[in-house]
Amino acid sequence: IYLGVVHSHVLSSYSPSSENLKKTIIDKCEAFIQNNKSSSANNCQKIWSAFEQAFVGRDPCNVPMEAYDPLMHTVIQDPVCNRMLFWSKTKKIVHDFTEKRDCFLTLEDTLVGFIMNGLTWCGKEKSNETFTTGCPGWTDCVNNTVRSFWNRASAAFADAACGDVTAMLNGSIATPFSPTSIFATIEVKRFKAAKIKSLSVVLVTKENKGTTCDDPSLQDLQKEIDPKLKYNCKAVPESKIQDCISHPDTACGACW
Ligand code: AVW
């Protein structure tokens, strides 16, 4: 009984998960800046503070995407015209592709996307603690801590889009332009014809099977975007992209 009391006292005052999340985020932030000197104007402590104020003390199902406005205003990120790569239902292949290449950049290759990628976090009402377990899942409630972050970060990424923009979509599923995806609900809606010249869809297919560029959902995509913006779509076999992943020296222009 005595040990039990000591144990719970230590737990409540030490709050290990919160300390770990802070360390994880600051370590990832610093590692990113080390590898991307163009991000060196960022201050990882300030990023942590702005991040934490979005959700600490809040119901984890009631964090609107605007809660992350201060974080997004704290992060300094240069736009990278012509190299922005959006994606939907292609998470693994798209990141295997960008990992060893500089010609394209996904949200997860930017500072804020890199830091949060793979993490789970939330707070609790009337508490200043940070949790990394027991947080609501993606579809448990609309305004959950993690989902609102990705919505907000995706909005900023799309707002910054300029030049020729690329989107890698999944041709192995029935609806490559899924109406409930972040790509459809947030990103495409924020594409600005004044800044963007063209949208190129790379439809990743399994050897001439599945959806084609004529798919109705891709026609919906084309209808969504400003007609001033040039649209094109190319079905590319997954094996061709895999070849490019295995051979990082292949020029990006030769991959599709
Ligand atoms: P996605 P998006 N349960 O592949 O267009 C758990 O659909 O939405 O592509 N996790 C989920 C769920 C779910 N039901 N739905 C989505 N996720 C998470 C940011 C999961 O981690 C970039 F800029 C999944 O891998 C892209 O252009 C991820 O959300 C665009 O937004 C992506 O879902 C990709 O979002």
Side-chain angles (χ1 to χ4, degrees), residues 135-170:
C135 298
W138 191 265
T139 52
D140 287 342
C141 43
V142 179
N143 283 328
N144 71 70
T145 321
V146 174
R147 188 166 173 170
S148 290
F149 164 78
W150 287 108
N151 284 342
R152 183 62 185 87
S154 301
F157 191 64
D159 284 341
C162 44
D164 297 315
V165 162
T166 307
M168 198 179 271
L169 304 182
N170 189 335

PDB file of all heavy atoms in Angstrom, residues 135-170:
ATOM      1  N   CYS A 135      -5.977   9.036 -26.927  1.00  0.00           N
ATOM      2  CA  CYS A 135      -6.529  10.184 -27.653  1.00  0.00           C
ATOM      3  C   CYS A 135      -7.578   9.687 -28.644  1.00  0.00           C
ATOM      4  O   CYS A 135      -7.507   8.557 -29.110  1.00  0.00           O
ATOM      5  CB  CYS A 135      -5.416  10.918 -28.386  1.00  0.00           C
ATOM      6  SG  CYS A 135      -4.154  11.607 -27.277  1.00  0.00           S
ATOM      7  N   PRO A 136      -8.561  10.536 -29.005  1.00  0.00           N
ATOM      8  CA  PRO A 136      -9.570  10.091 -29.967  1.00  0.00           C
ATOM      9  C   PRO A 136      -8.951   9.729 -31.310  1.00  0.00           C
ATOM     10  O   PRO A 136      -7.969  10.341 -31.740  1.00  0.00           O
ATOM     11  CB  PRO A 136     -10.509  11.298 -30.106  1.00  0.00           C
ATOM     12  CG  PRO A 136      -9.832  12.438 -29.439  1.00  0.00           C
ATOM     13  CD  PRO A 136      -8.818  11.886 -28.498  1.00  0.00           C
ATOM     14  N   GLY A 137      -9.511   8.714 -31.968  1.00  0.00           N
ATOM     15  CA  GLY A 137      -9.028   8.295 -33.273  1.00  0.00           C
ATOM     16  C   GLY A 137      -9.516   9.239 -34.364  1.00  0.00           C
ATOM     17  O   GLY A 137     -10.372  10.087 -34.125  1.00  0.00           O
ATOM     18  N   TRP A 138      -8.992   9.035 -35.560  1.00  0.00           N
ATOM     19  CA  TRP A 138      -9.231   9.921 -36.705  1.00  0.00           C
ATOM     20  C   TRP A 138     -10.719  10.201 -36.942  1.00  0.00           C
ATOM     21  O   TRP A 138     -11.114  11.336 -37.208  1.00  0.00           O
ATOM     22  CB  TRP A 138      -8.603   9.294 -37.945  1.00  0.00           C
ATOM     23  CG  TRP A 138      -8.538  10.200 -39.120  1.00  0.00           C
ATOM     24  CD1 TRP A 138      -9.449  10.282 -40.132  1.00  0.00           C
ATOM     25  CD2 TRP A 138      -7.526  11.158 -39.413  1.00  0.00           C
ATOM     26  NE1 TRP A 138      -9.052  11.230 -41.044  1.00  0.00           N
ATOM     27  CE2 TRP A 138      -7.874  11.780 -40.633  1.00  0.00           C
ATOM     28  CE3 TRP A 138      -6.339  11.551 -38.767  1.00  0.00           C
ATOM     29  CZ2 TRP A 138      -7.094  12.779 -41.223  1.00  0.00           C
ATOM     30  CZ3 TRP A 138      -5.562  12.544 -39.354  1.00  0.00           C
ATOM     31  CH2 TRP A 138      -5.936  13.142 -40.563  1.00  0.00           C
ATOM     32  N   THR A 139     -11.551   9.137 -36.845  1.00  0.00           N
ATOM     33  CA  THR A 139     -12.972   9.303 -37.158  1.00  0.00           C
ATOM     34  C   THR A 139     -13.861   9.289 -35.913  1.00  0.00           C
ATOM     35  O   THR A 139     -15.077   9.291 -36.027  1.00  0.00           O
ATOM     36  CB  THR A 139     -13.445   8.193 -38.125  1.00  0.00           C
ATOM     37  OG1 THR A 139     -13.072   6.930 -37.580  1.00  0.00           O
ATOM     38  CG2 THR A 139     -12.807   8.337 -39.497  1.00  0.00           C
ATOM     39  N   ASP A 140     -13.269   9.273 -34.719  1.00  0.00           N
ATOM     40  CA  ASP A 140     -14.085   9.251 -33.497  1.00  0.00           C
ATOM     41  C   ASP A 140     -14.879  10.543 -33.331  1.00  0.00           C
ATOM     42  O   ASP A 140     -15.996  10.542 -32.825  1.00  0.00           O
ATOM     43  CB  ASP A 140     -13.200   9.025 -32.262  1.00  0.00           C
ATOM     44  CG  ASP A 140     -12.701   7.585 -32.194  1.00  0.00           C
ATOM     45  OD1 ASP A 140     -13.299   6.723 -32.869  1.00  0.00           O
ATOM     46  OD2 ASP A 140     -11.708   7.330 -31.481  1.00  0.00           O
ATOM     47  N   CYS A 141     -14.293  11.648 -33.716  1.00  0.00           N
ATOM     48  CA  CYS A 141     -15.001  12.930 -33.678  1.00  0.00           C
ATOM     49  C   CYS A 141     -14.328  13.819 -34.724  1.00  0.00           C
ATOM     50  O   CYS A 141     -13.145  13.646 -35.024  1.00  0.00           O
ATOM     51  CB  CYS A 141     -14.939  13.566 -32.287  1.00  0.00           C
ATOM     52  SG  CYS A 141     -13.322  13.498 -31.468  1.00  0.00           S
ATOM     53  N   VAL A 142     -15.075  14.740 -35.286  1.00  0.00           N
ATOM     54  CA  VAL A 142     -14.558  15.535 -36.410  1.00  0.00           C
ATOM     55  C   VAL A 142     -13.398  16.435 -35.980  1.00  0.00           C
ATOM     56  O   VAL A 142     -12.339  16.452 -36.615  1.00  0.00           O
ATOM     57  CB  VAL A 142     -15.689  16.397 -37.031  1.00  0.00           C
ATOM     58  CG1 VAL A 142     -15.143  17.244 -38.178  1.00  0.00           C
ATOM     59  CG2 VAL A 142     -16.812  15.501 -37.534  1.00  0.00           C
ATOM     60  N   ASN A 143     -13.615  17.173 -34.882  1.00  0.00           N
ATOM     61  CA  ASN A 143     -12.603  18.146 -34.464  1.00  0.00           C
ATOM     62  C   ASN A 143     -11.622  17.558 -33.458  1.00  0.00           C
ATOM     63  O   ASN A 143     -11.384  18.136 -32.404  1.00  0.00           O
ATOM     64  CB  ASN A 143     -13.278  19.385 -33.882  1.00  0.00           C
ATOM     65  CG  ASN A 143     -13.843  20.273 -34.974  1.00  0.00           C
ATOM     66  OD1 ASN A 143     -13.306  20.344 -36.081  1.00  0.00           O
ATOM     67  ND2 ASN A 143     -14.927  20.957 -34.662  1.00  0.00           N
ATOM     68  N   ASN A 144     -11.045  16.397 -33.785  1.00  0.00           N
ATOM     69  CA  ASN A 144     -10.073  15.849 -32.829  1.00  0.00           C
ATOM     70  C   ASN A 144      -8.711  16.504 -33.033  1.00  0.00           C
ATOM     71  O   ASN A 144      -8.400  17.043 -34.096  1.00  0.00           O
ATOM     72  CB  ASN A 144     -10.049  14.317 -32.871  1.00  0.00           C
ATOM     73  CG  ASN A 144      -9.425  13.751 -34.129  1.00  0.00           C
ATOM     74  OD1 ASN A 144      -8.210  13.856 -34.329  1.00  0.00           O
ATOM     75  ND2 ASN A 144     -10.244  13.165 -34.991  1.00  0.00           N
ATOM     76  N   THR A 145      -7.919  16.462 -31.959  1.00  0.00           N
ATOM     77  CA  THR A 145      -6.649  17.187 -31.900  1.00  0.00           C
ATOM     78  C   THR A 145      -5.756  16.936 -33.098  1.00  0.00           C
ATOM     79  O   THR A 145      -5.203  17.877 -33.670  1.00  0.00           O
ATOM     80  CB  THR A 145      -5.864  16.735 -30.638  1.00  0.00           C
ATOM     81  OG1 THR A 145      -6.783  16.562 -29.577  1.00  0.00           O
ATOM     82  CG2 THR A 145      -4.806  17.720 -30.257  1.00  0.00           C
ATOM     83  N   VAL A 146      -5.615  15.651 -33.480  1.00  0.00           N
ATOM     84  CA  VAL A 146      -4.658  15.281 -34.523  1.00  0.00           C
ATOM     85  C   VAL A 146      -5.212  15.618 -35.911  1.00  0.00           C
ATOM     86  O   VAL A 146      -4.531  16.223 -36.743  1.00  0.00           O
ATOM     87  CB  VAL A 146      -4.311  13.777 -34.418  1.00  0.00           C
ATOM     88  CG1 VAL A 146      -3.433  13.332 -35.573  1.00  0.00           C
ATOM     89  CG2 VAL A 146      -3.619  13.492 -33.080  1.00  0.00           C
ATOM     90  N   ARG A 147      -6.472  15.273 -36.131  1.00  0.00           N
ATOM     91  CA  ARG A 147      -7.077  15.521 -37.444  1.00  0.00           C
ATOM     92  C   ARG A 147      -7.131  17.018 -37.764  1.00  0.00           C
ATOM     93  O   ARG A 147      -6.855  17.428 -38.893  1.00  0.00           O
ATOM     94  CB  ARG A 147      -8.486  14.915 -37.470  1.00  0.00           C
ATOM     95  CG  ARG A 147      -9.117  14.946 -38.826  1.00  0.00           C
ATOM     96  CD  ARG A 147     -10.332  14.042 -38.828  1.00  0.00           C
ATOM     97  NE  ARG A 147     -11.064  14.177 -40.066  1.00  0.00           N
ATOM     98  CZ  ARG A 147     -12.054  13.372 -40.435  1.00  0.00           C
ATOM     99  NH1 ARG A 147     -12.423  12.383 -39.631  1.00  0.00           N
ATOM    100  NH2 ARG A 147     -12.668  13.556 -41.571  1.00  0.00           N
ATOM    101  N   SER A 148      -7.463  17.823 -36.759  1.00  0.00           N
ATOM    102  CA  SER A 148      -7.513  19.269 -36.988  1.00  0.00           C
ATOM    103  C   SER A 148      -6.138  19.821 -37.320  1.00  0.00           C
ATOM    104  O   SER A 148      -6.014  20.743 -38.128  1.00  0.00           O
ATOM    105  CB  SER A 148      -8.090  19.991 -35.765  1.00  0.00           C
ATOM    106  OG  SER A 148      -9.462  19.692 -35.663  1.00  0.00           O
ATOM    107  N   PHE A 149      -5.113  19.253 -36.708  1.00  0.00           N
ATOM    108  CA  PHE A 149      -3.760  19.683 -37.069  1.00  0.00           C
ATOM    109  C   PHE A 149      -3.496  19.419 -38.549  1.00  0.00           C
ATOM    110  O   PHE A 149      -3.026  20.290 -39.279  1.00  0.00           O
ATOM    111  CB  PHE A 149      -2.675  18.980 -36.227  1.00  0.00           C
ATOM    112  CG  PHE A 149      -1.320  19.145 -36.864  1.00  0.00           C
ATOM    113  CD1 PHE A 149      -0.634  20.341 -36.742  1.00  0.00           C
ATOM    114  CD2 PHE A 149      -0.782  18.137 -37.669  1.00  0.00           C
ATOM    115  CE1 PHE A 149       0.578  20.532 -37.402  1.00  0.00           C
ATOM    116  CE2 PHE A 149       0.417  18.325 -38.337  1.00  0.00           C
ATOM    117  CZ  PHE A 149       1.103  19.523 -38.195  1.00  0.00           C
ATOM    118  N   TRP A 150      -3.797  18.183 -39.021  1.00  0.00           N
ATOM    119  CA  TRP A 150      -3.503  17.847 -40.426  1.00  0.00           C
ATOM    120  C   TRP A 150      -4.362  18.675 -41.374  1.00  0.00           C
ATOM    121  O   TRP A 150      -3.893  19.071 -42.445  1.00  0.00           O
ATOM    122  CB  TRP A 150      -3.640  16.338 -40.671  1.00  0.00           C
ATOM    123  CG  TRP A 150      -2.478  15.615 -40.041  1.00  0.00           C
ATOM    124  CD1 TRP A 150      -2.506  14.829 -38.926  1.00  0.00           C
ATOM    125  CD2 TRP A 150      -1.101  15.670 -40.455  1.00  0.00           C
ATOM    126  NE1 TRP A 150      -1.233  14.384 -38.624  1.00  0.00           N
ATOM    127  CE2 TRP A 150      -0.354  14.890 -39.540  1.00  0.00           C
ATOM    128  CE3 TRP A 150      -0.418  16.315 -41.493  1.00  0.00           C
ATOM    129  CZ2 TRP A 150       1.038  14.730 -39.645  1.00  0.00           C
ATOM    130  CZ3 TRP A 150       0.965  16.154 -41.600  1.00  0.00           C
ATOM    131  CH2 TRP A 150       1.677  15.366 -40.688  1.00  0.00           C
ATOM    132  N   ASN A 151      -5.596  18.965 -40.969  1.00  0.00           N
ATOM    133  CA  ASN A 151      -6.430  19.842 -41.797  1.00  0.00           C
ATOM    134  C   ASN A 151      -5.789  21.227 -41.918  1.00  0.00           C
ATOM    135  O   ASN A 151      -5.704  21.788 -43.005  1.00  0.00           O
ATOM    136  CB  ASN A 151      -7.832  19.980 -41.188  1.00  0.00           C
ATOM    137  CG  ASN A 151      -8.681  18.745 -41.425  1.00  0.00           C
ATOM    138  OD1 ASN A 151      -8.397  17.929 -42.298  1.00  0.00           O
ATOM    139  ND2 ASN A 151      -9.739  18.593 -40.641  1.00  0.00           N
ATOM    140  N   ARG A 152      -5.344  21.753 -40.792  1.00  0.00           N
ATOM    141  CA  ARG A 152      -4.773  23.112 -40.790  1.00  0.00           C
ATOM    142  C   ARG A 152      -3.446  23.166 -41.533  1.00  0.00           C
ATOM    143  O   ARG A 152      -3.184  24.096 -42.309  1.00  0.00           O
ATOM    144  CB  ARG A 152      -4.599  23.606 -39.348  1.00  0.00           C
ATOM    145  CG  ARG A 152      -4.081  25.031 -39.242  1.00  0.00           C
ATOM    146  CD  ARG A 152      -5.040  26.022 -39.868  1.00  0.00           C
ATOM    147  NE  ARG A 152      -4.501  27.385 -39.885  1.00  0.00           N
ATOM    148  CZ  ARG A 152      -3.721  27.873 -40.850  1.00  0.00           C
ATOM    149  NH1 ARG A 152      -3.360  27.115 -41.874  1.00  0.00           N
ATOM    150  NH2 ARG A 152      -3.284  29.128 -40.795  1.00  0.00           N
ATOM    151  N   ALA A 153      -2.592  22.178 -41.316  1.00  0.00           N
ATOM    152  CA  ALA A 153      -1.287  22.151 -41.986  1.00  0.00           C
ATOM    153  C   ALA A 153      -1.480  21.950 -43.486  1.00  0.00           C
ATOM    154  O   ALA A 153      -0.768  22.558 -44.300  1.00  0.00           O
ATOM    155  CB  ALA A 153      -0.411  21.047 -41.396  1.00  0.00           C
ATOM    156  N   SER A 154      -2.454  21.136 -43.867  1.00  0.00           N
ATOM    157  CA  SER A 154      -2.739  20.914 -45.283  1.00  0.00           C
ATOM    158  C   SER A 154      -3.265  22.193 -45.925  1.00  0.00           C
ATOM    159  O   SER A 154      -2.927  22.505 -47.074  1.00  0.00           O
ATOM    160  CB  SER A 154      -3.771  19.797 -45.457  1.00  0.00           C
ATOM    161  OG  SER A 154      -3.294  18.600 -44.873  1.00  0.00           O
ATOM    162  N   ALA A 155      -4.085  22.935 -45.202  1.00  0.00           N
ATOM    163  CA  ALA A 155      -4.608  24.206 -45.717  1.00  0.00           C
ATOM    164  C   ALA A 155      -3.455  25.164 -46.000  1.00  0.00           C
ATOM    165  O   ALA A 155      -3.413  25.804 -47.056  1.00  0.00           O
ATOM    166  CB  ALA A 155      -5.586  24.811 -44.714  1.00  0.00           C
ATOM    167  N   ALA A 156      -2.499  25.233 -45.097  1.00  0.00           N
ATOM    168  CA  ALA A 156      -1.353  26.129 -45.288  1.00  0.00           C
ATOM    169  C   ALA A 156      -0.506  25.678 -46.468  1.00  0.00           C
ATOM    170  O   ALA A 156      -0.029  26.503 -47.260  1.00  0.00           O
ATOM    171  CB  ALA A 156      -0.505  26.169 -44.008  1.00  0.00           C
ATOM    172  N   PHE A 157      -0.331  24.380 -46.599  1.00  0.00           N
ATOM    173  CA  PHE A 157       0.468  23.829 -47.698  1.00  0.00           C
ATOM    174  C   PHE A 157      -0.202  24.168 -49.035  1.00  0.00           C
ATOM    175  O   PHE A 157       0.457  24.619 -49.972  1.00  0.00           O
ATOM    176  CB  PHE A 157       0.594  22.316 -47.504  1.00  0.00           C
ATOM    177  CG  PHE A 157       1.597  21.634 -48.397  1.00  0.00           C
ATOM    178  CD1 PHE A 157       2.952  21.936 -48.309  1.00  0.00           C
ATOM    179  CD2 PHE A 157       1.190  20.665 -49.310  1.00  0.00           C
ATOM    180  CE1 PHE A 157       3.882  21.283 -49.126  1.00  0.00           C
ATOM    181  CE2 PHE A 157       2.111  20.017 -50.129  1.00  0.00           C
ATOM    182  CZ  PHE A 157       3.453  20.325 -50.036  1.00  0.00           C
ATOM    183  N   ALA A 158      -1.529  24.014 -49.096  1.00  0.00           N
ATOM    184  CA  ALA A 158      -2.260  24.313 -50.334  1.00  0.00           C
ATOM    185  C   ALA A 158      -2.293  25.817 -50.605  1.00  0.00           C
ATOM    186  O   ALA A 158      -2.197  26.238 -51.761  1.00  0.00           O
ATOM    187  CB  ALA A 158      -3.674  23.749 -50.252  1.00  0.00           C
ATOM    188  N   ASP A 159      -2.421  26.624 -49.562  1.00  0.00           N
ATOM    189  CA  ASP A 159      -2.404  28.085 -49.744  1.00  0.00           C
ATOM    190  C   ASP A 159      -1.102  28.537 -50.372  1.00  0.00           C
ATOM    191  O   ASP A 159      -1.068  29.517 -51.108  1.00  0.00           O
ATOM    192  CB  ASP A 159      -2.569  28.802 -48.390  1.00  0.00           C
ATOM    193  CG  ASP A 159      -3.997  28.759 -47.877  1.00  0.00           C
ATOM    194  OD1 ASP A 159      -4.915  28.516 -48.688  1.00  0.00           O
ATOM    195  OD2 ASP A 159      -4.196  28.981 -46.662  1.00  0.00           O
ATOM    196  N   ALA A 160      -0.023  27.848 -50.049  1.00  0.00           N
ATOM    197  CA  ALA A 160       1.299  28.246 -50.534  1.00  0.00           C
ATOM    198  C   ALA A 160       1.597  27.698 -51.930  1.00  0.00           C
ATOM    199  O   ALA A 160       2.610  28.064 -52.540  1.00  0.00           O
ATOM    200  CB  ALA A 160       2.371  27.767 -49.555  1.00  0.00           C
ATOM    201  N   ALA A 161       0.732  26.841 -52.443  1.00  0.00           N
ATOM    202  CA  ALA A 161       1.024  26.170 -53.723  1.00  0.00           C
ATOM    203  C   ALA A 161       1.160  27.175 -54.861  1.00  0.00           C
ATOM    204  O   ALA A 161       0.387  28.124 -54.960  1.00  0.00           O
ATOM    205  CB  ALA A 161      -0.069  25.149 -54.038  1.00  0.00           C
ATOM    206  N   CYS A 162       2.154  26.928 -55.707  1.00  0.00           N
ATOM    207  CA  CYS A 162       2.422  27.861 -56.794  1.00  0.00           C
ATOM    208  C   CYS A 162       3.126  27.130 -57.944  1.00  0.00           C
ATOM    209  O   CYS A 162       3.760  26.102 -57.740  1.00  0.00           O
ATOM    210  CB  CYS A 162       3.276  29.028 -56.295  1.00  0.00           C
ATOM    211  SG  CYS A 162       4.654  28.550 -55.238  1.00  0.00           S
ATOM    212  N   GLY A 163       2.946  27.688 -59.141  1.00  0.00           N
ATOM    213  CA  GLY A 163       3.581  27.099 -60.327  1.00  0.00           C
ATOM    214  C   GLY A 163       2.867  25.833 -60.768  1.00  0.00           C
ATOM    215  O   GLY A 163       1.650  25.744 -60.734  1.00  0.00           O
ATOM    216  N   ASP A 164       3.654  24.843 -61.159  1.00  0.00           N
ATOM    217  CA  ASP A 164       3.090  23.560 -61.574  1.00  0.00           C
ATOM    218  C   ASP A 164       2.987  22.658 -60.356  1.00  0.00           C
ATOM    219  O   ASP A 164       3.987  22.360 -59.705  1.00  0.00           O
ATOM    220  CB  ASP A 164       3.980  22.922 -62.651  1.00  0.00           C
ATOM    221  CG  ASP A 164       4.036  23.771 -63.910  1.00  0.00           C
ATOM    222  OD1 ASP A 164       2.963  24.246 -64.350  1.00  0.00           O
ATOM    223  OD2 ASP A 164       5.146  23.979 -64.441  1.00  0.00           O
ATOM    224  N   VAL A 165       1.765  22.232 -60.087  1.00  0.00           N
ATOM    225  CA  VAL A 165       1.490  21.430 -58.894  1.00  0.00           C
ATOM    226  C   VAL A 165       1.173  19.993 -59.330  1.00  0.00           C
ATOM    227  O   VAL A 165       0.531  19.778 -60.353  1.00  0.00           O
ATOM    228  CB  VAL A 165       0.294  22.062 -58.135  1.00  0.00           C
ATOM    229  CG1 VAL A 165      -0.334  21.093 -57.166  1.00  0.00           C
ATOM    230  CG2 VAL A 165       0.730  23.340 -57.433  1.00  0.00           C
ATOM    231  N   THR A 166       1.644  19.031 -58.539  1.00  0.00           N
ATOM    232  CA  THR A 166       1.426  17.617 -58.869  1.00  0.00           C
ATOM    233  C   THR A 166       0.628  16.943 -57.749  1.00  0.00           C
ATOM    234  O   THR A 166       0.794  17.288 -56.578  1.00  0.00           O
ATOM    235  CB  THR A 166       2.790  16.906 -59.054  1.00  0.00           C
ATOM    236  OG1 THR A 166       3.573  17.643 -60.000  1.00  0.00           O
ATOM    237  CG2 THR A 166       2.629  15.471 -59.550  1.00  0.00           C
ATOM    238  N   ALA A 167      -0.222  16.005 -58.111  1.00  0.00           N
ATOM    239  CA  ALA A 167      -0.954  15.211 -57.115  1.00  0.00           C
ATOM    240  C   ALA A 167      -0.853  13.740 -57.490  1.00  0.00           C
ATOM    241  O   ALA A 167      -1.152  13.353 -58.616  1.00  0.00           O
ATOM    242  CB  ALA A 167      -2.419  15.632 -57.051  1.00  0.00           C
ATOM    243  N   MET A 168      -0.410  12.918 -56.541  1.00  0.00           N
ATOM    244  CA  MET A 168      -0.307  11.487 -56.776  1.00  0.00           C
ATOM    245  C   MET A 168      -1.534  10.812 -56.162  1.00  0.00           C
ATOM    246  O   MET A 168      -1.735  10.839 -54.940  1.00  0.00           O
ATOM    247  CB  MET A 168       0.987  10.947 -56.166  1.00  0.00           C
ATOM    248  CG  MET A 168       1.386   9.595 -56.731  1.00  0.00           C
ATOM    249  SD  MET A 168       2.931   8.994 -56.025  1.00  0.00           S
ATOM    250  CE  MET A 168       4.140   9.700 -57.129  1.00  0.00           C
ATOM    251  N   LEU A 169      -2.363  10.239 -57.047  1.00  0.00           N
ATOM    252  CA  LEU A 169      -3.609   9.612 -56.586  1.00  0.00           C
ATOM    253  C   LEU A 169      -3.564   8.116 -56.866  1.00  0.00           C
ATOM    254  O   LEU A 169      -2.740   7.637 -57.642  1.00  0.00           O
ATOM    255  CB  LEU A 169      -4.812  10.274 -57.276  1.00  0.00           C
ATOM    256  CG  LEU A 169      -4.932  11.801 -57.116  1.00  0.00           C
ATOM    257  CD1 LEU A 169      -6.184  12.329 -57.806  1.00  0.00           C
ATOM    258  CD2 LEU A 169      -4.945  12.201 -55.633  1.00  0.00           C
ATOM    259  N   ASN A 170      -4.479   7.389 -56.216  1.00  0.00           N
ATOM    260  CA  ASN A 170      -4.437   5.933 -56.241  1.00  0.00           C
ATOM    261  C   ASN A 170      -5.418   5.377 -57.285  1.00  0.00           C
ATOM    262  O   ASN A 170      -6.637   5.456 -57.100  1.00  0.00           O
ATOM    263  CB  ASN A 170      -4.762   5.410 -54.844  1.00  0.00           C
ATOM    264  CG  ASN A 170      -4.526   3.933 -54.706  1.00  0.00           C
ATOM    265  OD1 ASN A 170      -4.552   3.187 -55.688  1.00  0.00           O
ATOM    266  ND2 ASN A 170      -4.294   3.486 -53.489  1.00  0.00           N
TER     267      ASN A 170
END
